[in-house]
Amino acid sequence: MTNPPYDVIIGLEVHVQLRTNTKLFCRCSTEFGNPPNTQTCPVCLGLPGALPVMNRKAYELSVKTALALNCNIPNFTKWDRKQYYYPDLPKGYQISQFDLPMSENGYLAISSPDGEFEDKNVGIIRAHLEEDAGKSMHDEAQGLADTRIDLNRTGTPLLEIVSEPDMRSAEEARAYLQELRLLLTYLDVSDCNMQEGSLRVDANVNLHVHTETDEKIATPIVEVKNMNSFRAVERALHYEVKRQYEIWQETGNRIGDVPKQTRGWDDNAQLTRAQREKEESSDYRYFPDPDLVPVTITNEQVEAFQQQIPELPAALREKLVDEFSLTPYTADVIVNQGPEVVAYFQSLAEHTGDAKQSGNWVQGEVLRVLKEEDWELSEFPISAEGLADLLKAIQQGELNNSRGKEVFSEMLSAGTSAADAMAALGIEKVDDSALEDLCREIVMANPKVISDVQSGNEKAVGALIGQAKQKNPNVNPGQVRQICLDIINAL
Amino acid sequence: MSLSKEDVQRVSLLARLKLSDDELTTMTEQLGQIVSYIDKLSELDTEGVKPMAHALDLTNALVDDEPHESLPREKALQNAPRSDDECFRVPAVLGE
Amino acid sequence: MIDLSATSLLAKLQSGEVSSEEVTAAFLDRINAVESRVGAFLKVNSESAMQAAQAVDKKRRSGAPLGKLAGIPIAVKDILCTEGEATTCGSRMLEHYVPPYNATVVEHLLASDAIVIGRTNMDEFAMGSSTENSAYKPTSNPWDLERIPGGSSGGAAACLAAAMAPLSIGTDTGGSIRQPAALCGVVGLKPTYGRVSRFGLVAFASSLDQVGPMATTVEDTALLLETIAGHDRRDSTSAKIDVPQYTASVNSPLENLTIGVVPSHYQDGLDTEIESAVKEAIRVYESLGARIKEIEMPHAQYGIATYYFIAPFEASGNLARYDGAHYGYRTDQQTMLDELSEEANQTDGAGESPLVRMYRKSRSEGFGSEVQRRVMLGTYALSEGYYDAYYLKALKVRRLIRADYDSAFDQVDCILGPVTASPAFRRGEKTNDPLAMYLEDLYTVNANLAGVAGISLPCGLTSENLPIGLHLQAAPFQEEKLLKVANMYQSATDWHTRRPEIQ
């Protein structure tokens, strides 16, 4: 396939709901899923006379996140009113940050283990704090042309993370979102649940079309909304790129020729649709909120937050490759499962002393079971120490890998230790003299093998291993092979 | 700085006000007078002066993340011009 | 009894000479007698005030500890949220609005065992200088019922002048306590920004609004300020600075007092009778041993222009919430929908959405013309392209005005001058000239812009028997000094004891 005659330019705006107990400017609970309008107070209802007071935890979580995104944290930040009318915004303005956000100029590294794209840093223009709006529900069922408003979510803290238009494909955009979600999981600053709206993505997309004279012409930027999963983002972007190229071929419109358009992704129809334009061009009339005071932070305080940041995915991947000798692929798989799985792996590797074997078992068996059962690691019944006992038995030749998997299943279903599971399966270590007797008996019954070995064909001894296993399934094939060879050589 | 009727019309939509034609005329005239008076600020040189948004230089009014009790729903909805048992009700957000 | 100060009444209550029930009944009787002519109140709490008075008397008899204002009636401006009581801000928009919570100042008053006797009239959302912008009724100046009482705390000042309450709570964004106090011949103090909590004060211009005490004497003013001041964690702009015992020091004169006078105050437009009254006050201070020093406030002349940018900027945002969606007035929905469908038939196309039309009609029907004018002004001046030229410019001039004050207060304890350029004008005189009305705040707005403290106290009467106010201003959080200096004047004069005869 030849390259398409354009570059894809994608920038993402991600709204992350921060994991606080209370809202950004009042102390109403942020718990999800309660009956409508049961989590409001004069402040978040925007009642006359009520005043906002800033949540310290929300600011701290946002600083941590911004630092993890390699952002600069200015010593001074303030709150601005973004003014527009909408019934899910009871004050008639959203408290957000305009010209002095709490962080700016960061980046997030993305990579593709299967080589879909080259490693790159996606720039972060800024990350700023703002309050969420409520929920509007269109009630056509009751035959009334009314919209119903639930203000429970109004005022929930959001961190808006705005990327540079650095992504060149839907795959890169998806990788950016996955890496961002992973980072937020490691930081424990958000539950990142897209279904509950705690992570929301809008995309700005356009094309740079190559001309015959080797110019690049930018097409109008389109903002795509309503993408409710990462898969939806990827599909919407693929769709949008194709659509924009067709429009370009049809109209030749360049950036600036038409106003910026907003389109919504329809997941059922698998296409984007133009959204209704507002009554007037957006003019938010930002100005500093006089009800709130600025927040200042010293370099020492920023440094202290930096210290609180746990090991992050990128560093952990490197660590698992460099210090644990995992393949980049295995390291990636493990790290992408989140900090609990990484900790499990590290503990397992420590107990077994064999990182490679531990990595293979985590990647293979442990993750398979988690996926099949739809478990969190915390629900997984075998501790790292428990699994280490099994892996050590394998190392010592008490059983081979495939018997090991049987034992693993037994440990899972019966909830027992490695030793008990092995016993239950009748796997026990064969006594040395018994094994010697068994081997001697088989050797003597197979003169052809003796003569083959004696004439230099050691491989012939392989036939004896099968016979030994028939007589006692617990024998270690390697051991049997060695003892038989020793007996023959001593004849 | 002169204000046209069209400017005032545009601002009235931004401010979500609906002015009759007469009101629009009066408003244009009055705003024009006021703006030309207050525009006397432009005669002052303010180069290098730091804007003063607050009367008091306070910072970091932050509080702990501890929940308080929310209003009972009937109180939250008690002043609503239109509501049902659960929600505020407003005319359709989208037009026909 | 109704001519007594709150401080004297408290002494009589404490000695058992009178009961709160008697005091409250006396003021309610006075309200019955003169309120129909003055119109200071939007609501009089006849029953609940008497019940509260009886409860305080009972509490006093039981020996339980009592608050600072136990048993004293007080009037509250109808802009402070009171749980379960309609809080209208003088607007149709909030005619039936009942807050589910109390303003911090209201909580302080309740905790002090004061008796809230009624809610006073005001210019709609505190926008105005004459109380003519109330959606409900005008208030008359008790000294001349044809004249305005000033505003926006016009009801708050008039009820004191007419002896319908001994204490009153006002709010001041550009002069709304001091100007009506001056025009009604009572005392009104605008505290330093951050001194009194704004929580539950319905916002007009957040960075300028302050709640303050109004009374007939400086001593009572000190008492009321002491009751309502203090840090409030629900107001991020409230200062964490201890509140002095103003009543303990208000009667001690300030030693080595230096008073600043600003020559430009006495230029164009100042009424000559006011000028001589203020100059007479300067001589009183001289006779009390004060040093008088001339100071310059070079940016004071830009105060009104700066204010009429900043206040509308903030107001246009603060008043966006009144859109008929969650509370307050909403236009009749059926009429509106009919109107829209008729328009659609005529224009054969999609017009405004029902929601946008609901917003626009509700706001235009619910707000009076002055509020709409200021919302338009603020919206216009903040709209695309004007941010630097208007908003930032105004904030920079604000800084220059503050700098004038800072350098003045390096040299003097207080700045003395007139409160208003002229005495109370006749009702209707300025209603069609918004700019002339705005210039009423000429001498008062700068204190709000700079965030300093200011007090107005009576210093004379014109030949037409109209009160004249004296304006004293002090550095931020120097209310103690301001009250002492004001009380020095009051101890040496008797203007504050003059009462109008209500025709």
Side-chain angles (χ1 to χ4, degrees):
Chain A
M1 196 182 103
T2 56
N3 285 330
Y6 53 78
D7 298 326
V8 177
I9 312 293
I10 300 172
L12 296 177
E13 290 177 14
V14 178
H15 285 86
V16 179
Q17 188 180 316
L18 295 174
R19 196 195 287 276
T20 54
N21 294 324
T22 69
K23 296 184 180 181
L24 189 50
F25 297 113
C26 67
R27 306 289 77 77
C28 283
S29 165
T30 53
E31 200 175 72
F32 181 81
N34 286 319
N37 295 305
T38 56
Q39 282 156 254
T40 67
C41 72
V43 177
C44 57
L45 288 171
L47 294 188
L51 296 171
V53 183
M54 176 77 196
N55 185 332
R56 185 194 319 277
K57 177 85 178 287
Y59 177 69
E60 291 175 355
L61 293 180
S62 65
V63 170
K64 267 168 79 170
T65 309
L67 285 172
L69 289 167
N70 306 294
C71 286
N72 171 45
I73 309 291
N75 298 122
F76 179 97
T77 189
K78 67 177 174 73
W79 317 103
D80 300 283
R81 293 180 177 179
K82 178 181 180 179
Q83 308 192 71
Y84 63 95
Y85 286 87
Y86 209 74
D88 61 11
L89 189 70
K91 296 190 297 300
Y93 56 85
Q94 177 192 31
I95 304 177
S96 179
Q97 300 199 280
F98 180 47
D99 54 339
L100 297 172
M102 49 73 52
S103 71
E104 57 198 1
N105 297 330
Y107 65 87
L108 178 64
I110 57 169
S111 59
S112 166
D114 35 10
E116 273 180 317
F117 55 85
E118 281 178 30
D119 294 0
K120 66 156 68 172
N121 288 345
V122 175
I124 307 286
I125 297 173
R126 56 190 276 166
H128 70 254
L129 260 175
E130 63 185 28
E131 56 177 348
D132 205 349
K135 226 164 62 182
S136 315
M137 294 159 286
H138 307 291
D139 185 15
E140 279 145 20
Q142 291 191 33
L144 290 163
D146 265 8
T147 296
R148 304 174 77 222
I149 309 293
D150 170 12
L151 297 179
N152 279 354
R153 203 179 62 188
T154 309
T156 297
L158 296 178
L159 187 66
E160 179 175 341
I161 301 166
V162 184
S163 86
E164 295 278 4
D166 283 350
M167 285 153 279
R168 294 291 168 271
S169 66
E171 289 72 25
E172 288 185 17
R174 184 174 175 153
Y176 169 84
L177 291 171
Q178 284 171 332
E179 187 65 7
L180 180 60
R181 181 170 61 184
L182 191 65
L183 185 87
L184 297 167
T185 309
Y186 274 79
L187 290 168
D188 195 26
V189 296
S190 172
D191 63 24
C192 295
N193 186 329
M194 280 187 93
Q195 264 63 52
E196 293 180 5
S198 36
L199 196 148
R200 279 168 257 165
V201 184
D202 299 330
N204 283 299
V205 199
N206 71 335
L207 307 177
H208 286 177
V209 182
H210 305 180
T211 66
E212 284 159 11
T213 53
D214 238 22
E215 270 181 292
K216 288 184 181 180
I217 298 170
T219 63
I221 296 176
V222 171
E223 183 171 4
V224 186
K225 292 176 173 289
N226 296 351
M227 299 170 291
N228 294 323
S229 66
F230 289 175
R231 176 181 300 201
V233 172
E234 203 174 355
R235 287 182 177 168
L237 290 173
H238 276 303
Y239 174 86
E240 193 53 28
V241 166
K242 191 165 154 276
R243 190 193 66 84
Q244 288 188 17
Y245 188 60
E246 284 166 13
I247 296 287
W248 158 259
Q249 288 177 311
E250 216 173 281
T251 65
N253 278 342
R254 303 178 178 215
I255 193 165
D257 287 353
V258 290
K260 183 174 160 178
Q261 199 187 33
T262 302
R263 299 181 70 86
W265 173 245
D266 181 336
D267 208 45
N268 294 321
Q270 295 284 301
L271 49 80
T272 65
R273 295 182 206 275
Q275 292 192 334
R276 190 176 195 270
E277 299 299 318
K278 290 197 183 137
E279 314 256 336
E280 77 267 49
S281 64
S282 58
D283 182 348
Y284 293 124
R285 292 162 289 128
Y286 279 101
F287 80 103
D289 192 328
D291 288 331
L292 288 162
V293 299
V295 172
T296 59
I297 186 168
T298 63
N299 294 345
E300 292 70 32
Q301 287 168 319
V302 171
E303 183 52 37
F305 279 113
Q306 189 83 58
Q307 299 303 324
Q308 289 174 27
I309 293 177
E311 283 185 285
L312 295 174
L316 275 170
R317 285 191 198 98
E318 265 180 49
K319 181 175 168 182
L320 295 196
V321 171
D322 294 348
E323 293 177 29
F324 291 83
S325 309
L326 296 189
T327 64
Y329 181 80
T330 306
D332 192 56
V333 169
I334 289 176
V335 169
N336 290 355
Q337 296 303 313
E340 291 81 12
V341 173
V342 172
Y344 187 92
F345 160 74
Q346 288 184 328
S347 169
L348 186 64
E350 207 172 284
H351 283 97
T352 61
D354 185 340
K356 190 162 186 291
Q357 180 199 29
S358 300
N360 289 338
W361 272 80
V362 170
Q363 186 200 334
E365 296 311 298
V366 178
L367 294 186
R368 177 183 59 77
V369 171
L370 293 186
K371 194 170 172 199
E372 281 171 9
E373 303 290 334
D374 196 19
W375 276 343
E376 296 290 323
L377 184 72
S378 58
E379 296 167 278
F380 184 68
I382 307 176
S383 68
E385 280 120 311
L387 184 57
D389 289 341
L390 172 61
L391 268 51
K392 279 187 283 190
I394 295 171
Q395 283 170 24
Q396 285 157 16
E398 291 174 36
L399 70 172
N400 64 15
N401 226 26
S402 66
R403 288 290 270 163
K405 288 177 186 172
E406 288 167 34
V407 174
F408 177 78
S409 296
E410 176 66 18
M411 288 168 76
L412 268 180
S413 57
T416 52
S417 68
D420 288 351
M422 282 161 72
L425 292 177
I427 301 173
E428 43 195 282
K429 193 162 164 39
V430 183
D431 180 74
D432 282 351
S433 64
L435 183 60
E436 177 122 14
D437 290 349
L438 176 71
C439 290
R440 191 169 298 279
E441 186 191 328
I442 295 171
V443 168
M444 292 313 167
N446 288 280
K448 171 97 175 49
V449 174
I450 298 174
S451 62
D452 284 354
V453 172
Q454 280 171 341
S455 59
N457 181 9
E458 283 201 354
K459 277 188 180 165
V461 84
L464 303 183
I465 296 170
Q467 293 182 27
K469 281 191 81 170
Q470 275 178 0
K471 290 185 182 280
N472 184 343
N474 292 326
V475 297
N476 179 335
Q479 258 182 314
V480 171
R481 182 175 185 277
Q482 196 55 51
I483 294 168
C484 291
L485 284 175
D486 290 348
I487 292 168
I488 294 168
N489 290 335
L491 285 175
Chain B
M1 172 56 54
S2 72
L3 255 127
S4 69
K5 228 167 143 169
E6 289 67 40
D7 288 334
V8 177
Q9 180 79 274
R10 175 184 58 85
V11 173
S12 76
L13 173 59
L14 210 50
R16 293 294 186 268
L17 292 170
K18 189 138 187 77
L19 304 177
S20 69
D21 220 39
D22 283 354
E23 287 168 330
L24 207 59
T25 307
T26 316
M27 186 69 84
T28 306
E29 204 176 292
Q30 289 176 334
L31 286 186
Q33 278 171 17
I34 296 166
V35 169
S36 69
Y37 172 79
I38 62 184
D39 207 29
K40 76 185 258 185
L41 292 191
S42 59
E43 73 193 37
L44 262 178
D45 180 9
T46 51
E47 188 70 33
V49 179
K50 210 177 128 210
M52 177 175 166
H54 288 88
L56 252 185
D57 272 334
L58 294 173
T59 53
N60 298 9
L62 303 163
V63 299
D64 292 339
D65 184 32
E66 283 157 15
H68 65 188
E69 219 168 285
S70 292
L71 286 173
R73 181 158 62 196
E74 34 326 338
K75 284 217 166 183
L77 297 173
Q78 79 183 2
N79 285 295
R82 200 175 162 108
S83 62
D84 52 42
D85 293 344
E86 295 184 326
C87 286
F88 298 92
R89 280 183 171 269
V90 298
V93 167
L94 299 176
E96 304 309 309
Chain C
M1 185 142 46
I2 55 168
D3 291 327
L4 294 174
S5 72
T7 305
S8 317
L9 285 170
L10 266 182
K12 287 183 187 298
L13 285 166
Q14 277 153 10
S15 70
E17 195 178 319
V18 294
S19 67
S20 175
E21 197 178 344
E22 288 166 324
V23 172
T24 305
F27 282 102
L28 286 171
D29 284 349
R30 173 70 174 173
I31 291 173
N32 272 331
V34 300
E35 166 63 6
S36 60
R37 279 168 282 164
V38 177
F41 289 95
L42 288 174
K43 184 176 174 241
V44 177
N45 301 333
S46 311
E47 279 177 34
S48 66
M50 286 307 288
Q51 285 164 4
Q54 286 158 5
V56 170
D57 286 336
K58 196 174 160 199
K59 199 168 162 187
R60 192 186 298 279
R61 284 195 299 274
S62 77
L66 291 166
K68 269 184 205 299
L69 300 178
I72 301 289
I74 187 167
V76 174
K77 186 175 178 179
D78 200 24
I79 195 172
L80 288 154
C81 291
T82 303
E83 187 175 350
E85 269 189 45
T87 299
T88 72
C89 297
S91 181
R92 286 278 166 232
M93 185 58 89
L94 292 179
E95 188 167 2
H96 304 292
Y97 174 71
V98 178
Y101 75 103
N102 279 325
T104 299
V105 166
V106 170
E107 279 181 359
H108 282 311
L109 293 179
L110 296 176
S112 77
D113 293 315
I115 311 299
V116 180
I117 199 165
R119 304 183 69 79
T120 57
N121 197 18
M122 56 184 283
D123 285 303
E124 184 177 10
F125 287 102
M127 296 177 189
S129 303
S130 68
T131 314
E132 290 166 294
N133 295 335
S134 166
Y136 300 99
K137 60 180 182 186
T139 294
S140 292
N141 191 318
W143 292 83
D144 178 347
L145 298 176
E146 298 301 307
R147 293 176 190 263
I148 57 93
S152 66
S153 309
C159 76
L160 294 171
M164 294 190 278
L167 295 175
S168 178
I169 295 282
T171 64
D172 192 317
T173 304
S176 281
I177 285 177
R178 292 160 292 158
Q179 183 254 16
L183 301 191
C184 289
V186 300
V187 184
L189 183 145
K190 182 204 88 75
T192 307
Y193 188 81
R195 177 79 290 184
V196 178
S197 170
R198 293 187 300 113
F199 187 79
L201 157 62
V202 179
F204 159 15
S206 308
S207 82
L208 304 165
D209 294 341
Q210 267 295 288
V211 185
M214 301 178 79
T216 55
T217 69
V218 172
E219 210 179 3
D220 283 2
T221 306
L223 172 67
L224 186 49
L225 180 61
E226 194 172 288
T227 309
I228 62 174
H231 177 248
D232 180 5
R233 57 193 302 236
R234 292 177 298 182
D235 174 2
S236 305
T237 62
S238 116
K240 278 186 189 157
I241 296 176
D242 288 341
V243 181
Q245 288 278 307
Y246 300 117
T247 45
S249 61
V250 68
N251 287 309
S252 351
L254 190 77
E255 314 253 327
N256 303 317
L257 169 63
T258 306
I259 283 190
V261 295
V262 186
S264 60
H265 281 166
Y266 306 94
Q267 285 160 11
D268 34 71
L270 181 63
D271 179 276
T272 51
E273 288 185 289
I274 294 182
E275 178 171 350
S276 30
V278 170
K279 288 191 167 157
E280 179 54 32
I282 295 172
R283 279 189 286 280
V284 170
Y285 275 109
E286 273 179 317
S287 74
L288 294 171
R291 204 163 69 85
I292 308 298
K293 190 171 163 46
E294 281 198 357
I295 49 167
E296 297 298 329
M297 303 286 277
H299 300 96
Q301 57 167 313
Y302 297 101
I304 292 284
T306 307
Y307 177 83
Y308 278 93
F309 274 123
I310 293 175
F313 289 146
E314 297 185 8
S316 67
N318 285 334
L319 272 64
R321 67 191 62 199
Y322 307 108
D323 59 9
H326 309 98
Y327 48 82
Y329 176 82
R330 182 185 292 185
T331 191
D332 183 74
Q333 210 152 316
Q334 199 50 54
T335 312
M336 174 204 77
L337 290 172
D338 293 348
E339 192 179 284
L340 274 178
S341 66
E342 196 171 310
E343 282 175 24
N345 287 338
Q346 282 170 8
T347 59
D348 191 33
E352 269 172 12
S353 71
L355 179 73
V356 170
R357 182 57 62 88
M358 183 281 276
Y359 283 154
R360 298 184 75 182
K361 278 183 73 84
S362 299
R363 287 167 62 77
S364 278
E365 290 164 9
F367 288 146
S369 59
E370 181 59 31
V371 171
Q372 296 195 42
R373 202 151 36 233
R374 298 208 199 181
V375 166
M376 286 290 291
L377 182 56
T379 307
Y380 164 71
L382 271 177
S383 66
E384 214 147 20
Y386 296 122
Y387 186 82
D388 284 4
Y390 289 160
Y391 183 73
L392 283 184
K393 185 80 184 183
L395 292 196
K396 287 175 176 183
V397 181
R398 185 180 188 181
R399 173 82 59 194
L400 295 174
I401 290 168
R402 171 61 186 255
D404 283 357
Y405 275 102
D406 288 343
S407 73
F409 290 128
D410 283 344
Q411 308 164 59
V412 301
D413 295 300
C414 286
I415 299 168
L416 179 152
V419 182
T420 60
S422 50
F425 52 89
R426 286 193 170 73
R427 200 160 33 245
E429 208 176 301
K430 298 189 181 178
T431 24
N432 293 320
D433 189 353
L435 193 55
M437 191 74 94
Y438 293 176
L439 291 168
E440 272 293 299
D441 296 330
L442 185 65
Y443 296 112
T444 48
V445 278
N446 289 317
N448 300 80
L449 290 168
V452 304
I455 191 170
S456 168
L457 58 157
C459 74
L461 290 169
T462 67
S463 52
E464 289 184 289
N465 206 38
L466 296 171
I468 298 171
L470 177 68
H471 195 204
L472 295 167
Q473 299 175 81
F477 302 102
Q478 295 298 316
E479 284 83 0
E480 190 172 22
K481 186 189 266 183
L482 190 63
L483 288 161
K484 279 182 169 190
V485 174
N487 206 27
M488 285 166 72
Y489 177 82
Q490 219 159 64
S491 307
T493 58
D494 66 354
W495 295 111
H496 62 286
T497 63
R498 311 292 180 89
R499 285 286 168 276
E501 215 155 285
I502 298 169
Q503 291 99 31

